[in-house]
Amino acid sequence: MSLLPADLYALGHDLRLAAARRQRRARRRALVTVAAVVATATAAVAVGASTLLGGSAPRAVQADLATAVEFALLKDHVLDARTAHVVATSASATLYSAVARNGDYCAELVGATHGAIYGFSCSVQQRAANGQFLADAYAPSVTYLDGSDGTSPPVVEFGRLPASTVSARAVYANGAAERIQPGLDRFFVYEPSPRYQALARRMPLTLEFRDGRSSTWSYYLEPPQPLRIEPGRISGRVLIDGAARVQLDVAAARGAYPWPVFVPIHSDGTFSWTRWAGSIVFRVTVRDGENNPVSADTNVMTLASIRRQFAALQRR
């Protein structure tokens, strides 16, 4: 499931301020930091300045995770959002997660480079007959919001490796491939290298996870579509191969059933849609000439909208 925080840009600002404070403290703790990184056999990569694996999640992230636990893990509240910490990083995003003793988890991906990157996933873990955790059925979705200057953030994917994984890689539709580096507790953030970023915006990729017996578990991912969301308008620029139009799932009012609205893509790849008064946009999907989806769904609702939506449904 995907939930957007009420103010993603404010969260990104808070993360950058916190990163700057961590950078100043890091100079005094340099030797301890290096020892910790080597001990975990991972590399802590920056978001803004420096975000170390194992570090505590900001309060805003903890609040999002607490809300997700309430809505997504209704059966058993065994997950404490206050334990959320950094479990994986890339050059442009940080993944935070809280994991319960029974293996259930909620994770939140946040990035504030050239706009905003946001992803969310909650998983109720299932075990096989041999007691091993089963892989999640679906890869989590990621929402990309363009910066105020129109620049789109880099493509980032995240998730958790199946329990028996010994190697992981991303394979593009043209055969190009890159290795995926895991973080803590099998979580990962994959950010395509600069040479593959353009490919990641144009074509699908597959995340492949191989175990010791050479069996492979994989997720097939359509390319993302970054959006620019303004008070009365949603717009963007489509770079996806074969794209013909953009579908928005729109409800005329809060609590109403959403219906598809189709928006044409101009010759330069741009599209724009003016919101109806009082309407709610749930998701955006790019489609080809035969109406097949060629992009990942982009979830548009905010946490505040979701809370109001639940309240409206409960009043019926």
Side-chain angles (χ1 to χ4, degrees), residues 1-8 64 67 71 229-231 234 249 251 253-256 275 278-283 299-315:
M1 65 179 299
S2 295
L3 309 173
L4 285 172
D7 192 341
L8 183 55
D64 289 342
T67 301
F71 287 131
I229 301 179
E230 300 169 283
I234 292 179
D249 293 339
R254 189 171 297 119
R275 290 175 181 262
S279 64
I280 303 293
V281 180
F282 285 82
R283 67 187 62 83
N299 295 289
V300 180
M301 290 187 71
T302 65
L303 263 180
S305 298
I306 290 172
R307 292 190 187 103
R308 290 193 294 267
Q309 193 81 2
F310 269 97
L313 291 172
Q314 289 171 352
R315 286 195 297 269

Side-chain angles (χ1 to χ4, degrees), residues 61-71 77 79 81-82 106 120:
V61 171
Q62 293 180 27
D64 289 342
L65 290 170
T67 301
V69 170
E70 179 183 355
F71 287 131
H77 287 218
L79 192 153
R82 294 171 297 180
C106 284
F120 214 105

Side-chain angles (χ1 to χ4, degrees), residues 149-166:
D149 61 353
T151 304
S152 296
V155 175
V156 177
E157 304 292 349
F158 76 101
R160 201 178 192 193
L161 304 177
S164 58
T165 300
V166 296

Side-chain angles (χ1 to χ4, degrees), residues 212-236:
R213 297 175 297 177
S214 295
S215 298
T216 300
W217 182 271
S218 63
Y219 299 114
Y220 178 81
L221 304 175
E222 299 281 9
Q225 177 53 52
L227 301 175
R228 182 164 187 177
I229 301 179
E230 300 169 283
R233 191 168 70 106
I234 292 179
S235 60

Side-chain angles (χ1 to χ4, degrees), residues 8-9 111-118 143-147 151 153:
L8 183 55
Y9 288 101
T113 301
H114 302 299
I117 303 167
Y118 189 80
T143 295
Y144 302 84
L145 303 179
D146 288 344
T151 304

